[in-house]
Amino acid sequence: MTDTTVAIREARATDAAGMARVHVQSWRSTYPGLIPAQFLINLSEPPAAQRWAAIAEMRGPGQGAFVAVDVGGLIAAPDTIVGIASFGTRRVAVQGHAGEFHALYLLDDAKGYGIGRRLMAAMADRFLTAGIRSAAVWCLRDNPSRWFYERLGGIKVAERPIRFANTDLVEIAYGWRDLTPLARLSAGPEVR
Ligand SMILES: CC(C)(COP(=O)(O)OP(=O)(O)OC[C@H]1O[C@@H](n2cnc3c(N)ncnc32)[C@H](O)[C@@H]1OP(=O)(O)O)[C@@H](O)C(=O)NCCC(=O)NCCS
């Protein structure tokens, strides 16, 4: 199967429930063994939806959110949101990188079809349009998805200890000093 039935478009506040579903399912699939189970059990879609509604409304030059929608219904029911991504200015500064990829999460069934790459390309394209030429992403060092960022040309540029959910963790940052090749990975998002 190809990913041709999946559309990438800007998120809207009305997408919030679908975005929260992806967020919670992806955290519960990605972080067992990394983040305490009780934290993952306690995740709840309604408060996550409130946060995603606010993020979707904070659209502006160099910040916003995208959703991947399974228009054709080959991965999930037709028009299901199967992937989410958000980006903006730096929450934690990484020297030489102006933008930050804040979040990127897919449903398990949506992995492996190039949707993550298209979402990264869509965000990179928006950064470049806003005159932001470089960006970084923070990722847990023990998250196997970190290799996805390396595959897309990210270079490890920083590492830091963090305390999250009463647990000591290590995050690493991958950076793209020039977002142009990343933005070119996809022909561009289908924006509706
Ligand atoms: C990371 C994630 C977004 C990747 O999305 P995806 O749609 O499955 O990835 P793509 O199909 O676009 O893959 C693009 C390339 O990266 C490679 N890749 C993807 N995930 C990989 C991984 N975990 N390890 C190594 N390579 C990986 C693919 O093989 C592909 O390579 P190719 O160009 O040779 O074909 C997805 O796996 C995910 O949601 N992970 C869980 C959430 C998460 O950890 N997010 C990051 C938080 S910092």
Side-chain angles (χ1 to χ4, degrees):
M1 192 184 88
T2 68
D3 69 357
T4 49
T5 66
V6 173
I8 309 289
R9 63 160 171 79
E10 275 184 37
R12 310 168 187 132
T14 50
D15 294 324
M19 297 177 85
R21 188 171 155 265
V22 173
H23 179 125
V24 170
Q25 287 196 12
S26 185
W27 272 61
R28 287 182 177 153
S29 164
T30 304
Y31 294 126
L34 299 177
I35 292 174
Q38 199 56 50
F39 183 91
L40 300 174
I41 292 165
N42 288 346
L43 287 174
S44 169
E45 291 182 23
Q50 278 186 3
R51 289 195 299 275
W52 279 107
I55 291 167
E57 279 173 347
M58 278 189 319
R59 199 180 291 176
Q63 72 169 4
F66 284 100
V67 288
V69 182
D70 186 10
V71 179
L74 289 178
I75 298 169
D79 296 326
T80 300
I81 293 174
V82 296
I84 58 176
S86 66
F87 62 103
T89 46
R90 297 169 305 185
R91 287 192 293 209
V92 179
V94 180
Q95 197 178 11
H97 297 80
E100 185 176 331
F101 300 105
H102 289 160
L104 178 65
Y105 293 105
L106 267 55
L107 293 180
D108 278 350
D109 288 348
K111 290 179 182 172
Y113 297 119
I115 299 169
R117 177 172 32 220
R118 288 173 65 197
L119 286 165
M120 288 293 287
M123 294 189 284
D125 183 65
R126 286 300 160 89
F127 276 136
L128 288 171
T129 302
I132 296 170
R133 308 210 61 78
S134 60
V137 61
W138 286 101
C139 179
L140 286 184
R141 186 186 58 195
D142 295 332
N143 180 353
S145 291
R146 64 184 273 195
W147 308 115
F148 162 81
Y149 295 120
E150 296 212 2
R151 180 75 188 90
L152 267 54
I155 304 288
K156 188 182 159 189
V157 287
E159 182 167 325
R160 62 172 182 148
I162 60 161
R163 183 101 184 133
F164 183 83
N166 293 321
T167 312
D168 290 318
L169 300 166
V170 177
E171 276 193 329
I172 53 179
Y174 285 103
W176 289 260
R177 293 298 288 262
D178 175 7
L179 290 168
T180 312
L182 189 59
R184 284 196 188 128
L185 284 180
S186 153
E190 181 181 346
V191 178
R192 296 180 173 179

